[in-house]
Amino acid sequence: MNVNQSAPPVPPFGQPQPVYLGHHQSSYGGQPGPTTAPTSYGTYNGPVPGYQQTPPPGVSRAPPSSGAPPASTAQGPCGQTAYGQFGQGDVQNGPSSTVQMQRLPGYQPFGSAILAPVVSQPAVLQPYGPPPTSAQVTAQLAGMQISGTVAPASPPSGLGYGPPTSLASASGSFPNSGLYGSYPQGQAPPLGQAQGHPGTQPPQRSVPLQASSFTPPASGGPRMPSMTGPPLPGQSFGGPPVSQPNHVSSLAPQALPPGTQMTGPPGPPLPPMHSSQQPGYQLQQNGSFGPTRGPQSNYGSPYPGAATFGSQPGPPQPLPPKRLDPDAIPSPIQVIEDDRNNRGSEPFVTGVRGQVPPLVTTNFLVKDQGNASPRYIRCTSYNIPCTSDMAKQAQVPLAAVIKPLARLPPEEASPYVVDHGESGPLRCNRCKAYMCPFMQFVEGGRRFQCCFCSCINDVPPQYFQHLDHTGKRVDAYDRPELSLGSYEFLATVDYCKNNKFPSPPAFIFMIDVSYNAIRSGLVRLLCEELKSLLDFLPREGGAEESAIRVGFVTYNKVLHFYNVKSSLAQPQMMVVSDVGDMFVPLLDGFLVNVNESQAVITSLLDQIPEMFADTRETETVFAPVIQAGMEALKAAECAGKLFLFHTSLPIAEAPGKLKNRDDRKLINTDKEKTLFQPQTGAYQTLAKECVAQGCCVDLFLFPNQYVDVATLSVVPQLTGGSVYKYACFQVENDQERFLSDLRRDVQKVVGFDAVMRVRTSTGIRAVDFFGAFYMNNTTDVELAGLDGDKTVTVEFKHDDRLNEENGALMQCALLYTSCAGQRRLRIHNLALNCCTQLADLYRNCETDTLINYMAKFAYRGVLSSPVKTVRDTLITQCAQILACYRKNCASPSSAGQLILPECMKLLPVYLNCVLKSDVLQPGAEVTTDDRAYVRQLVTSMDVAETNVFFYPRLLPLTKSPIENTTEPPAVRASEERLSNGDIYLLENGLNLFLWVGASVQQGVVQSLFGVSSFSQITSGLSVLPVLDNLLSKKVQGLIDSLRAQRSRYMKLIVVKQEDKLETLFKHFLVEDKSLSGGASYVDFLCHMHKEIRQLLS
């Protein structure tokens, strides 16, 4: 759709749109046209209208919908699309205009301390200097042809460039639309200046139409016939400018695209040039968005013959209405870039209470000086309301995303381990909180007051130390628990099951040897890999070898246990065919030390593929396999992990038998929630038993069709395990991804048999938990296993009034067994500020963490509510958060302005990405299993993972010099940013796409793919050839570094422009409208504004 054309009247929000062909439009002067009613707000989330647009010259473009929802893999031979197997792609950085972008006079420079928005408050404005002289104006207008005389110099910045008072104002209400008029589709509310920390101002791309006769750019293809008529709302007649309050949303003069001709009386001149702009980026306004853009070069008027969406049939054509300029709305890329530049160079020192950390996308070092590192805990807000009434008014969820065993970069030290001997760690007698830097020592150091419950406790004689003149213990900096935010205690025997220290954990590999697994080559590949992988089991500190023991089981309809005792010459197999009453047929020789039994294990792994090579057994069991593993750990009296490799729906007669219940007809009905719920309660019961034993389950799935991920993932989910899915597994295509995931999964450090509790100071308490764990009561999070990638998200509510002076404290305590069998307590402490002013809450929020929480809240909601209800709840909550800010914190301004808090200006774009995700809005080719898989995956993701998952990174590979090996700056995830002469890499933490434009230079194709032309590149290629040239090495290096940053291996998929795989790739261009009906960023922002105005009215 031409971005500058208006839409005709459309059905209400959320309903399908008809196919538009030629359509009469209402006139622009405010009187309705002969055939149509006033246009209503554009359809939100309806299916894409069925128009076809011819691409402008130089840019081949498919219809603007952003593509199919992820089918997670290219279509496999089995006809099923698998999540998490795609590659990546790329987008053009907008049609480049040769005219330099300007900053409007009167905008605040970045970093000024003014809090209020620059909205109708001339006293606050800070012009960049005097108005330009006519010589400057002439210089600025080079490249444009303007007939007529040069306009007078611009008025002072306190004046607006507004239209005559007789015209409708540009601030959002249009004639015939009532007090809060709705916007025609694609038409924007003007946006006001954000508050908080004023930031850089983006250039304006839009063109105020000062004359009633307009000729489109010469370079944009066939011209629209010029048309005379009444001016648009916001358009000015000739004559002296009329004074009006200086709303940021008022029309301001902006640069025109080169080649634009204007006839008639020109408007005021352009503001002074501002040259501090980075090449390749548009500067971004701080949450405030200005006027709109006119036609751009290369994106000209509709082509003859194309359906002119919403325009009158045949000449003369009217001018398009105002549309929100995508460059004038908050850009995630700009916000990320600004944070890197401002906060990436200095270490983040945690000594000060309530500091908001740098964004997750910024590389920074942490110095622990009393509060836990943001790598362990991130909060939705670092300044929480003092009262529950204030919290209810703001609607900002108070939550923390906790990653207790997070891996740290090599430059940061792991938490110190403190050993208090037999007495164990010092705790408060009443609330059982552990000693931490916030405890207050009194009476000369003989007693301490608990910072959580205020109880006064005695200090044991062996822990006594004198206080200095400030009341601090003189040994405070020698003791981690008195000076650091994160540390570990060695636990005493009182913290162990049955009051005895645990044995080292065990790993049991349980391999499906049914027909599918053998035929695909999976079993042979896995056995070959395990021979070497078992040498790399996790070990403690500098231990010579791992303390973990291993065991092996194979299964189809029956189970085969193997005795691999070191004294045996050959392994022995024992078969259990009574799967209804599972038992372990051997104890001695089942779990062994790898080094001692190396020869027997190697022999077994050689024999398994041969033993089952001729199998015809297609049926499998599933629950009895987990039961067997758990019973083996119970018999060995240790915790551990089961690695299950499974291929098909377990339909064999046994406990946990499942049937195929996949039914796409349930989508968008009240019964849709059943697709996410387990088929049977048997797996919850089994999971509960596993947790009690400390048996964690990691599941590797290799389905060729529906396997009911929603049910099979219940045990991994409740035991703290992981699920990996490789749909239509083929050794040649998926070997690297599977082996990489397996190696990482086996080698990563895990805490076993863990219990986590979050304590808070008086006034708030933990009320809700999200993640992969089991809860038997309201306070203890039980995890059979917990690794460094998993998070637990905790929501807090008020139970009393908080105090600004004392702030609020939280302490996360995790009791777990290490890989060496040592019982430990890991403690993380964090102090937050409390506020009585809403502005302080909004100034200290963290949008990435907020989105992480909201996604998890929604993804849990689909288990019990219709998906539409869940989506509406999210939209309402977001509107309430922003309306509360507008009402209580923003300066008074026109209702037509959308004003966003500085810290939350990306909330709409990110929330729209969550709403368009496969779980909440699936496309036609997203399978039920894909949705269940993604749902459980997101549940325990950390903030960095949800950030890139919902808003993928799009990196242009051919825009920077080849010698430059640093990561290229990202561009926004929109098709408009793709240039067909470039190559782009897109990643979302699960998938990598390499998008190749059709006009890429031959030399680039040769250097990267080793073929001579674009047509010879294999679409869907998953491995780039290793070539000896700079570009090839640079791209390979970048791909390797991206994979190293993520917890799962991202399989590469090469996508050629105009290829069938491009639909899949475009699904990840999240700022565009999606094929499944998801709104574009611009449309969603307009919808959010409408919702906010309804709440305020």
Side-chain angles (χ1 to χ4, degrees):
M1 161 187 352
N2 185 325
V3 291
N4 296 312
Q5 282 183 278
S6 74
V10 290
F13 171 66
Q15 289 183 9
Q17 302 179 33
V19 174
Y20 295 112
L21 293 166
H23 190 95
H24 286 284
Q25 222 171 293
S26 53
S27 326
Y28 285 118
Q31 297 79 16
T35 54
T36 54
T39 49
S40 64
Y41 182 79
T43 308
Y44 171 71
N45 283 340
V48 181
Y51 57 82
Q52 187 65 35
Q53 177 188 346
T54 316
V59 183
S60 308
R61 296 183 47 173
S65 44
S66 66
S72 98
T73 128
Q75 194 75 15
C78 48
Q80 178 187 0
T81 46
Y83 213 93
Q85 291 185 335
F86 336 8
Q88 20 336 32
D90 191 313
V91 221
Q92 166 177 337
N93 208 353
S96 56
S97 167
T98 50
V99 180
Q100 172 122 24
M101 303 302 172
Q102 278 89 25
R103 215 181 258 251
L104 302 185
Y107 281 14
Q108 305 162 357
F110 185 70
S112 66
I114 298 157
L115 196 66
V118 194
V119 176
S120 63
Q121 293 178 347
V124 179
L125 300 171
Q126 301 177 358
Y128 277 107
T133 62
S134 75
Q136 284 173 304
V137 172
T138 313
Q140 285 162 20
L141 299 181
M144 292 184 236
Q145 302 161 4
I146 299 188
S147 52
T149 53
V150 177
S154 61
S157 59
L159 299 173
Y161 306 109
T165 44
S166 61
L167 277 180
S169 102
S171 66
S173 3
F174 290 87
N176 301 332
S177 61
L179 178 60
Y180 291 115
S182 49
Y183 303 101
Q185 177 165 1
Q187 190 161 322
L191 281 72
Q193 173 71 22
Q195 334 236 321
H197 330 295
T200 46
Q201 189 63 28
Q204 304 297 329
R205 264 238 165 105
S206 49
V207 183
L209 303 177
Q210 300 287 357
S212 49
S213 168
F214 177 78
T215 316
S219 62
R223 297 166 182 245
M224 246 190 300
S226 68
M227 159 133 181
T228 52
L232 295 170
Q235 206 175 309
S236 117
F237 292 108
V242 181
S243 167
Q244 80 169 48
N246 187 13
H247 294 304
V248 173
S249 62
S250 305
L251 280 176
Q254 289 139 6
L256 285 148
T260 305
Q261 298 180 341
M262 293 177 70
T263 52
L270 298 157
M273 302 293 277
H274 196 73
S275 61
S276 68
Q277 188 187 336
Q278 298 178 0
Y281 274 61
Q282 308 309 341
L283 289 171
Q284 180 58 38
Q285 243 162 285
N286 264 343
S288 97
F289 336 113
T292 57
R293 63 177 160 189
Q296 296 167 273
S297 55
N298 297 332
Y299 277 42
S301 53
Y303 276 42
T308 49
F309 177 72
S311 60
Q312 297 177 358
Q317 283 180 302
L319 287 165
K322 290 172 37 167
R323 178 189 184 271
L324 206 55
D325 175 7
D327 282 328
I329 56 181
S331 157
I333 304 304
Q334 191 63 49
V335 170
I336 288 167
E337 201 63 28
D338 289 345
D339 193 76
R340 280 180 181 159
N341 295 336
N342 298 330
R343 306 195 65 182
S345 50
E346 294 296 312
F348 177 69
V349 181
T350 71
V352 183
R353 182 177 83 188
Q355 279 186 106
V356 182
L359 298 181
V360 284
T361 43
T362 299
N363 279 330
F364 60 98
L365 277 183
V366 180
K367 288 194 174 166
D368 185 341
Q369 291 191 359
N371 282 293
S373 157
R375 302 191 206 288
Y376 294 122
I377 306 181
R378 277 191 176 261
C379 295
T380 52
S381 179
Y382 288 80
N383 201 332
I384 60 182
C386 281
T387 64
S388 60
D389 289 346
M390 192 171 153
K392 279 180 194 144
Q393 188 183 358
Q395 286 285 319
V396 176
L398 304 176
V401 179
I402 306 174
K403 196 176 183 183
L405 297 180
R407 287 186 309 280
L408 302 180
E411 310 84 67
E412 293 175 24
S414 295
Y416 288 96
V417 180
V418 180
D419 185 359
H420 282 317
E422 287 185 12
S423 60
L426 188 54
R427 307 174 71 175
C428 167
N429 289 328
R430 183 197 289 159
C431 70
K432 302 298 180 197
Y434 294 86
M435 180 53 68
C436 71
F438 312 125
M439 298 286 190
Q440 194 68 45
F441 287 87
V442 292
E443 296 179 28
R446 285 185 296 278
R447 307 177 87 186
F448 71 91
Q449 182 172 22
C450 175
C451 51
F452 294 94
C453 70
S454 304
C455 174
I456 304 281
N457 299 269
D458 290 329
V459 173
Q462 73 273 15
Y463 198 76
F464 172 78
Q465 187 53 273
H466 294 286
L467 308 183
D468 64 13
H469 64 287
T470 65
K472 252 183 132 84
R473 282 173 56 123
V474 295
D475 65 347
Y477 292 105
D478 300 330
R479 289 188 176 271
E481 74 274 22
L482 299 181
S483 56
L484 298 177
S486 301
Y487 42 87
E488 288 199 326
F489 292 119
L490 282 187
T492 58
V493 76
D494 308 332
Y495 291 87
C496 302
K497 265 188 195 164
N498 309 326
N499 277 2
K500 69 178 210 187
F501 285 110
S503 310
F507 283 178
I508 304 178
F509 296 90
M510 317 190 85
I511 306 166
D512 176 349
V513 289
S514 65
Y515 176 72
N516 280 343
I518 296 290
R519 190 196 58 181
S520 66
L522 167 65
V523 175
R524 190 173 295 278
L525 178 71
L526 174 59
C527 290
E528 208 48 51
E529 177 64 25
L530 285 178
K531 287 184 208 170
S532 53
L533 186 54
L534 294 178
D535 294 334
F536 297 98
L537 297 176
R539 62 196 72 185
E540 283 293 300
E544 290 273 320
E545 60 178 59
S546 174
I548 293 173
R549 292 169 297 160
V550 298
F552 301 90
V553 173
T554 57
Y555 67 94
N556 39 46
K557 274 205 313 198
V558 297
L559 277 75
H560 322 106
F561 292 79
Y562 297 93
N563 183 346
V564 282
K565 200 172 175 179
S566 56
S567 56
L568 294 173
Q570 284 291 322
Q572 294 173 345
M573 177 206 264
M574 297 185 184
V575 180
V576 177
S577 52
D578 183 4
V579 289
D581 182 20
M582 185 45 63
F583 66 97
V584 180
L586 75 161
L587 294 179
D588 189 30
F590 179 64
L591 294 177
V592 297
N593 175 294
V594 175
N595 281 8
E596 290 171 10
S597 296
Q598 183 93 50
V600 193
I601 291 173
T602 304
S603 172
L604 171 66
L605 294 171
D606 281 334
Q607 288 176 39
I608 287 174
E610 305 308 328
M611 247 187 309
F612 298 99
D614 301 323
T615 185
R616 286 285 169 267
E617 185 55 74
T618 55
E619 293 188 356
T620 55
V621 295
F622 187 74
V625 184
I626 296 174
Q627 180 87 34
M630 182 195 64
E631 297 289 352
L633 294 177
K634 191 183 279 184
E637 296 184 338
C638 68
K641 186 184 264 197
L642 311 182
F643 294 85
L644 243 86
F645 304 89
H646 190 80
T647 60
S648 57
L649 192 69
I651 54 172
E653 243 0 283
K657 173 185 174 179
L658 301 179
K659 60 179 192 291
N660 187 336
R661 52 160 186 165
D662 190 14
D663 186 0
R664 291 192 63 85
K665 291 199 284 293
L666 297 181
I667 293 176
N668 294 327
T669 70
D670 285 352
K671 288 189 176 173
E672 184 172 5
K673 57 178 181 269
T674 60
L675 297 175
F676 296 109
Q677 297 165 353
Q679 270 189 52
T680 158
Y683 287 96
Q684 270 111 328
T685 312
L686 181 57
K688 188 176 174 180
E689 291 173 31
C690 286
V691 172
Q693 184 47 49
C695 168
C696 173
V697 179
D698 279 359
L699 176 59
F700 292 79
L701 282 171
F702 305 86
N704 288 334
Q705 54 203 17
Y706 178 75
V707 288
D708 199 350
V709 172
T711 305
L712 297 190
S713 63
V714 165
V715 179
Q717 178 80 6
L718 292 177
T719 58
S722 308
V723 179
Y724 298 84
K725 180 165 163 284
Y726 311 87
C728 302
F729 179 81
Q730 294 174 309
V731 171
E732 58 278 12
N733 292 335
D734 303 297
Q735 162 177 342
E736 196 180 353
R737 184 163 78 103
F738 164 54
L739 295 182
S740 176
D741 285 341
L742 177 63
R743 285 168 197 151
R744 191 188 161 101
D745 198 53
V746 168
Q747 293 172 34
K748 65 186 171 192
V749 173
V750 181
F752 293 97
D753 216 355
V755 182
M756 184 179 115
R757 183 176 280 194
V758 178
R759 294 180 173 85
T760 51
S761 53
T762 311
I764 55 169
R765 62 194 170 88
V767 293
D768 207 353
F769 300 84
F770 304 83
F773 53 76
Y774 175 74
M775 289 190 81
N776 215 5
N777 54 37
T778 56
T779 54
D780 294 337
V781 174
E782 296 181 50
L783 302 122
L786 175 68
D787 60 53
D789 300 321
K790 298 278 190 311
T791 63
V792 175
T793 302
V794 186
E795 186 185 7
F796 302 98
K797 287 259 164 75
H798 287 75
D799 57 6
D800 204 347
R801 190 185 173 85
L802 291 165
N803 172 320
E804 269 189 289
E805 189 185 336
N806 297 339
L809 303 176
M810 71 173 82
Q811 181 180 78
C812 162
L814 177 80
L815 173 66
Y816 71 99
T817 302
S818 74
C819 291
Q822 201 174 45
R823 203 71 176 143
R824 291 185 179 181
L825 281 151
R826 180 168 288 202
I827 312 295
H828 298 296
N829 304 288
L830 187 63
L832 302 173
N833 287 328
C834 296
C835 59
T836 52
Q837 300 295 320
L838 282 166
D840 291 329
L841 164 68
Y842 283 102
R843 201 176 295 123
N844 291 280
C845 284
E846 234 259 297
T847 300
D848 292 324
T849 311
L850 201 54
I851 287 294
N852 179 286
Y853 166 82
M854 290 172 97
K856 290 171 180 176
F857 180 80
Y859 281 18
R860 186 177 67 185
V862 298
L863 291 172
S864 52
S865 307
V867 172
K868 184 182 185 311
T869 310
V870 173
R871 294 163 47 76
D872 291 345
T873 305
L874 282 182
I875 293 170
T876 306
Q877 183 171 15
C878 181
Q880 284 172 329
I881 291 170
L882 298 176
C884 175
Y885 175 80
R886 173 70 187 254
K887 183 179 174 185
N888 298 290
C889 309
S891 311
S893 59
S894 145
Q897 284 181 303
L898 173 54
I899 298 181
L900 301 173
E902 172 61 23
C903 286
M904 286 190 184
K905 64 187 183 187
L906 298 181
L907 188 60
V909 62
Y910 286 162
L911 184 72
N912 189 37
C913 296
V914 174
L915 293 170
K916 291 183 350 179
S917 64
D918 290 337
V919 173
L920 298 183
Q921 193 160 36
E925 59 298 297
V926 180
T927 66
T928 307
D929 275 346
D930 286 339
R931 296 177 74 197
Y933 174 63
V934 172
R935 196 196 74 77
Q936 60 81 32
L937 207 55
V938 169
T939 308
S940 48
M941 274 186 182
D942 70 12
V943 180
E945 286 172 325
T946 51
N947 174 273
V948 76
F949 179 74
F950 288 115
Y951 192 95
R953 288 166 76 197
L954 184 61
L955 307 171
L957 300 184
T958 42
K959 289 191 187 295
S960 55
I962 293 183
E963 309 75 59
N964 184 355
T965 53
T966 55
E967 194 175 284
V971 294
R972 291 168 69 164
S974 167
E975 191 181 343
E976 204 169 83
R977 310 282 158 171
L978 292 175
S979 151
N980 58 3
D982 287 310
I983 294 179
Y984 298 79
L985 197 55
L986 181 141
E987 66 128 350
N988 76 339
L990 297 180
N991 315 294
L992 262 180
F993 290 95
L994 189 75
W995 184 88
V996 186
S999 311
V1000 171
Q1001 290 175 0
Q1002 191 179 338
V1004 171
V1005 172
Q1006 185 71 51
S1007 301
L1008 206 48
F1009 299 98
V1011 295
S1012 55
S1013 70
F1014 174 80
S1015 59
Q1016 292 175 297
I1017 299 171
T1018 310
S1019 178
L1021 195 69
S1022 59
V1023 181
L1024 293 178
V1026 179
L1027 302 171
D1028 189 14
N1029 64 67
L1030 281 175
L1031 181 64
S1032 181
K1033 287 175 182 169
K1034 174 182 172 175
V1035 173
Q1036 298 275 9
L1038 178 60
I1039 289 172
D1040 290 345
S1041 88
L1042 292 178
R1043 283 173 173 160
Q1045 292 168 28
R1046 305 293 168 212
S1047 62
R1048 292 174 182 236
Y1049 183 89
M1050 297 185 291
K1051 179 182 169 183
L1052 178 71
I1053 290 187
V1054 173
V1055 177
K1056 293 163 70 177
Q1057 187 174 4
E1058 303 293 322
D1059 186 79
K1060 63 179 186 300
L1061 276 175
E1062 201 181 28
T1063 314
L1064 181 60
F1065 165 72
K1066 285 181 184 172
H1067 176 75
F1068 297 96
L1069 303 181
V1070 289
E1071 289 199 18
D1072 300 334
K1073 191 170 169 72
S1074 69
L1075 275 183
S1076 53
S1080 68
Y1081 176 18
V1082 169
D1083 288 346
F1084 184 69
L1085 202 57
C1086 294
H1087 179 71
M1088 252 2 275
H1089 187 209
K1090 186 177 157 201
E1091 294 276 323
I1092 291 165
R1093 286 168 64 173
Q1094 280 174 350
L1095 287 171
L1096 292 175
S1097 62

